[in-house]
Amino acid sequence: MELIQKDPDLSAYLAADEVIDHHHPYVREVAGRLAQEAEDSYAYARLAFDFVRDTIPHSQDSGDLRVTWRASDVLGQRTGICYAKAHALAALLRAEDIPTALCYQRFDVVHGLVAVRFGGAWHRQDPRGNKPGVNARFSLGRERLAFTPDPGAGEADCPDLYAAPHPAVLDALKAAADRPRLWETLPVAL
């Protein structure tokens, strides 16, 4: 699948906003700690991916009822669904000047991922969090995502790469008082 960069200006994929708030002191602190362990940007990206995937539980898996959407809140509260975890990873990567896009897959609901730009190409990553049956890995080669869409069931990879969260995703996150209510309003299409 060919990924489509929605904004032709690559600097858009480095920008901070209210969601990917990579200038927030806590995001900068986490990024700084991870950067100290990394010998280059690739190693940093892998460490940031592992950090988000492994130390921030997916709230559905852990039973956490809180809804987070801002990267600094996801990192600080250590909880979030796929979209929120993608926002946190995007912030950590952008904090170290690694272009990062938000992207999606369509199943019964829309699933959130990121794409990082290395070597002149975009590479999708899924920091959702592993569990039995889910084994996502950081990879610039063959994708190692949490889920593979089944086109026969109407599932699909969405090729668009966004600099900011899709409005349907952000609206659902912001409007939900808790995770059960969020589950009622998750977007089914973009």
Side-chain angles (χ1 to χ4, degrees), residues 7-182:
D7 192 319
D9 183 358
L10 192 59
S11 68
Y13 299 91
L14 293 167
D17 59 28
E18 75 166 326
V19 178
I20 303 171
D21 58 342
H22 64 76
H23 294 314
H24 187 281
Y26 189 68
V27 176
R28 299 299 312 168
E29 177 189 325
V30 173
R33 283 196 319 258
L34 294 170
Q36 288 179 345
E37 299 176 37
E39 62 272 5
D40 58 25
S41 60
Y42 172 79
Y44 174 84
R46 187 180 41 73
L47 285 170
F49 172 86
D50 289 349
F51 178 84
V52 172
R53 183 196 63 196
D54 298 343
T55 70
I56 300 171
H58 188 285
S59 58
Q60 174 71 20
D61 296 347
S62 68
D64 196 320
L65 299 180
R66 296 174 292 169
V67 175
T68 55
W69 52 269
R70 183 177 288 117
S72 58
D73 292 338
V74 176
L75 293 169
Q77 295 180 39
R78 295 266 202 246
T79 191
I81 66 166
C82 61
Y83 312 126
K85 291 182 68 157
H87 301 164
L89 180 56
L92 290 174
L93 295 170
R94 290 182 184 185
E96 291 296 313
D97 295 320
I98 298 170
T100 308
L102 299 169
C103 50
Y104 303 93
Q105 295 176 307
R106 190 182 71 245
F107 298 98
D108 55 334
V109 295
V110 174
H111 175 61
L113 329 155
V114 302
V116 296
R117 189 160 177 90
F118 277 103
W122 289 102
H123 307 273
R124 294 186 310 162
Q125 313 296 325
D126 191 344
R128 181 223 178 271
N130 290 338
K131 64 180 187 174
V134 176
N135 189 21
R137 301 277 180 230
F138 185 83
S139 175
L140 298 184
R142 183 176 68 91
E143 287 186 335
R144 302 286 307 272
L145 305 177
F147 308 111
T148 303
D150 176 1
E155 300 173 349
D157 284 313
C158 303
D160 294 333
L161 301 176
Y162 298 92
H166 191 282
V169 168
L170 192 55
D171 290 349
L173 288 168
K174 285 183 167 183
D178 57 28
R179 190 177 36 76
R181 286 187 183 84
L182 175 61

